Amino acid sequence: MIDISLQQDQFEVVPALVQPTLVEVLKARVKAEMALDVALPQVHTLPIDQMLQARLASFDPEMEDAEADNAFYIADLGEVYRQHLRWKALLPRIEPFFAMKCNPDPMVMRLLASLGAGFDCASKNEIQSVLNMGVDPSRIIYANPCKQNSFVKYAHTNNVRMMTFDNAEELHKIKRFHPEAQLVLRILTDDSKSLCKLGLKFGAPLDTTGFLLATAQELGLNVIGVSFHVGSGCFDANAFGEAVIRARRVFDQAQEYGYEFNFLDVGGGFPSAHVTEGITFEKVATILGPTVNALFGPEVRVIAEPGRYYVGSAFTLATQVIARRTIVRDLAEAFTADQSHSPSHMYYINDGMYGSFNCIMFDHQVCEPKVLVKDNAFTYKQVVAEPHGYASVWGPTCDSIDCISPKSSLPLMETGDWLYFENMGAYTITAASQFNGFRKSEILYTTSEQEVSLHF
Ligand SMILES: *Cc1c(COP(=O)(O)O)cnc(C)c1O
């Protein structure tokens, strides 16, 4: 296997290829600002530890109004930028269309728009927010195979033409509301090697694609190619190669129905940057890139819909321990059973399952708390004191499902101390609710890459 893993210093050669000129950047910025007419939050250039410290230092427990003890995120836009460069370096042929449902943060979106990425949208609101940034409708794929009528009309009115389908009813709908659409047939692939099995809901089995192509042809619709999604949180890089082979079969089949396909969409499911063992982005690229090149000529435009890949590692969440319960054990039990493995404390923090940690339920994530402030000492990325047995960590709502970690190894924490969670950028804040009156955690922005400043 070829080693195509990137060294940090290799990134330096790439910006010239991918970075628009300063004039282009400034023009896009003016256009976007006119469209939005909002003041942007400040993007700092401090390292994450200093961002955390500065925010915590602004916390004065004597001040009543500020709510400076709320949980908050530090977003490192430099991480998003590096992921983009890495994509361009390892999969140069494949155009990334960011799956915005993963994290539609306005700053992330603007950075990616400015870098020239496209967008995978699933609803009218998502399309609208991308168009509002001044992004051309040709840089949007409406990648939801089952769409609401009025949303299809909206796409038509706004000249968003690329959209996916996987059933015949959708073709009739599109014929009625958007007859000039450029249709992409989403096929079913093997998603058994993924945490989120999207095949349960979407994708045409290969024994139905003939019928769908025949229907499209009868309706006079323009089908341009194939898409798939190996499943979110995919843990087998081979799934991508197998899916591309399936797509090739449908390309060949399409010719029987008079279609000359020239578009392939390899979907999402790419691992985030913090994944360094098992399936890594390098491994996926090593399989995907050559397979695509071997099976599809240069006339075929290839795009992908990465979501977590771009943002997973870019967000760090800081939360305060707002309450603590010491578990009092029955004396008899304490003398008989081995207590070393059962939690001795319950910590309650100010973001939970109904907020950022919905990823535990919806995205099968395991969120590991780390100590940020204890005994007034700042311990980000430091090895802290001996763990004090086990503890469970809970969110702030009154629901018992609101458990973040049933068993964590932590030192003894006091109310008012802080915990942090890394890699909280994907499928977290986007689905956070305000259940029980708790606000979504605020986001502070920084960048570990200077170039990012040019894009705002
Ligand atoms: C959710 C989704 C994605 C993004 O998936 P990731 O695993 O975050 O990369 C891409 N395409 C479609 C159609 C999706 O529904």
Side-chain angles (χ1 to χ4, degrees):
M1 216 190 290
I2 352 158
D3 177 22
I4 48 172
S5 55
L6 269 190
Q7 302 301 317
Q8 187 74 20
D9 56 1
Q10 280 176 272
F11 288 129
E12 249 94 87
V13 293
V14 189
L17 295 177
V18 291
Q19 209 178 301
T21 67
L22 184 57
V23 176
E24 279 168 345
V25 169
L26 292 176
K27 269 195 207 153
R29 177 173 157 181
V30 169
K31 197 171 163 193
E33 254 152 41
M34 285 189 333
L36 271 181
D37 197 33
V38 286
L40 291 178
Q42 190 179 353
V43 180
H44 301 269
T45 49
L46 296 172
I48 296 174
D49 60 333
Q50 289 180 29
M51 288 294 291
L52 288 163
Q53 258 177 316
R55 171 64 175 68
L56 291 169
S58 72
F59 171 47
D60 178 358
E62 303 309 318
M63 266 174 56
E64 271 177 30
D65 54 332
E67 278 192 47
D69 51 354
N70 280 346
F72 63 93
Y73 281 96
I74 304 296
D76 177 9
L77 297 170
E79 186 73 8
V80 178
Y81 179 74
R82 279 193 297 275
Q83 285 297 86
H84 187 69
L85 300 189
R86 196 169 164 217
W87 185 285
K88 291 282 168 190
L90 296 190
L91 289 174
R93 177 172 174 185
I94 305 182
E95 300 169 43
F97 278 54
F98 177 56
M100 64 180 288
K101 76 166 187 293
C102 178
N103 187 343
D105 177 85
M107 300 299 275
V108 169
M109 295 286 289
R110 291 173 71 109
L111 173 60
L112 288 173
S114 174
L115 288 167
F119 295 90
D120 157 0
C121 302
S123 64
K124 174 181 169 178
N125 265 340
E126 285 193 350
I127 294 172
Q128 199 165 29
S129 65
V130 174
L131 293 175
N132 283 348
M133 290 191 306
V135 170
D136 194 88
S138 66
R139 280 166 60 192
I140 294 175
I141 181 161
Y142 187 177
N144 185 340
C146 299
K147 299 170 276 298
Q148 184 173 326
N149 284 349
S150 57
F151 291 9
V152 180
K153 267 197 263 182
Y154 178 80
H156 179 250
T157 312
N158 288 279
N159 217 15
V160 172
R161 299 180 76 187
M162 288 193 286
M163 54 181 66
T164 61
F165 75 102
D166 64 3
N167 64 83
E169 284 75 0
E170 197 73 6
L171 288 172
H172 291 280
K173 181 191 297 169
I174 291 165
K175 172 74 183 173
R176 187 161 159 220
F177 296 110
H178 199 343
E180 312 89 62
Q182 298 169 333
L183 296 176
V184 181
L185 173 51
R186 172 141 166 205
I187 59 169
L188 185 64
T189 57
D190 177 12
D191 63 4
S192 62
K193 311 280 168 49
S194 296
L195 292 175
C196 305
K197 304 198 188 326
L198 299 170
L200 288 173
K201 188 171 178 188
F202 296 124
L206 289 202
D207 59 1
T208 65
T209 51
F211 166 68
L212 292 174
L213 291 166
T215 308
Q217 190 204 30
E218 272 163 37
L219 292 171
L221 293 171
N222 180 18
V223 187
I224 61 169
V226 172
S227 77
F228 59 77
H229 195 306
V230 295
S232 205
C234 179
F235 46 84
D236 180 5
N238 292 316
F240 285 90
E242 280 160 27
V244 172
I245 293 168
R246 274 176 168 244
R248 178 69 246 178
R249 271 195 248 151
V250 181
F251 264 65
D252 295 339
Q253 184 183 37
Q255 288 183 331
E256 296 165 30
Y257 298 88
Y259 288 111
E260 205 57 62
F261 282 0
N262 59 9
F263 186 86
L264 175 67
D265 173 357
V266 298
F270 300 87
S272 139
H274 67 274
V275 179
T276 51
E277 47 193 64
I279 181 181
T280 59
F281 179 62
E282 276 74 12
K283 279 189 192 150
V284 172
T286 311
I287 291 176
L288 184 59
T291 314
V292 166
N293 286 339
L295 298 182
F296 296 91
E299 72 287 355
V300 177
R301 178 183 184 197
V302 189
I303 74 158
E305 301 162 350
R308 77 176 70 242
Y309 168 82
Y310 269 108
V311 286
S313 58
F315 286 63
T316 301
L317 177 65
T319 64
Q320 195 183 41
V321 177
I322 55 171
R324 183 182 81 180
R325 179 196 308 275
T326 305
I327 300 174
V328 185
R329 290 206 183 86
D330 180 70
L331 260 186
E333 189 195 332
F335 284 112
T336 52
D338 174 11
Q339 295 298 324
S340 59
H341 291 300
S342 55
S344 61
H345 288 88
M346 296 166 75
Y347 297 115
Y348 301 81
I349 63 174
N350 50 1
D351 197 345
M353 183 77 98
Y354 286 91
S356 302
F357 295 96
N358 70 84
C359 59
I360 294 171
M361 189 179 300
F362 295 134
D363 196 37
H364 313 275
Q365 291 300 309
V366 176
C367 299
E368 203 48 59
K370 294 181 180 164
V371 180
L372 184 62
V373 177
K374 176 177 151 51
D375 301 332
N376 284 322
F378 182 74
T379 55
Y380 178 70
K381 297 264 189 202
Q382 286 169 25
V383 183
V384 281
E386 285 286 293
H388 184 83
Y390 289 101
S392 54
V393 181
W394 302 78
T397 70
C398 293
D399 190 346
S400 62
I401 202 179
D402 195 358
C403 179
I404 294 155
S405 170
K407 200 172 154 187
S408 283
S409 173
L410 288 168
L412 187 63
M413 305 288 289
E414 305 289 336
T415 298
D417 286 345
W418 289 77
L419 294 171
Y420 71 102
F421 298 81
E422 293 175 289
N423 305 311
M424 289 290 289
Y427 304 106
T428 49
I429 199 156
T430 178
S433 75
Q434 316 227 14
F435 176 62
N436 241 183
F438 293 97
R439 286 205 304 216
K440 293 192 192 183
S441 297
E442 94 180 276
I443 304 172
L444 302 175
Y445 299 91
T446 190
T447 175
S448 51
E449 297 287 338
Q450 292 296 326
E451 290 82 354
V452 165
S453 311
L454 289 176
H455 296 272
F456 292 101

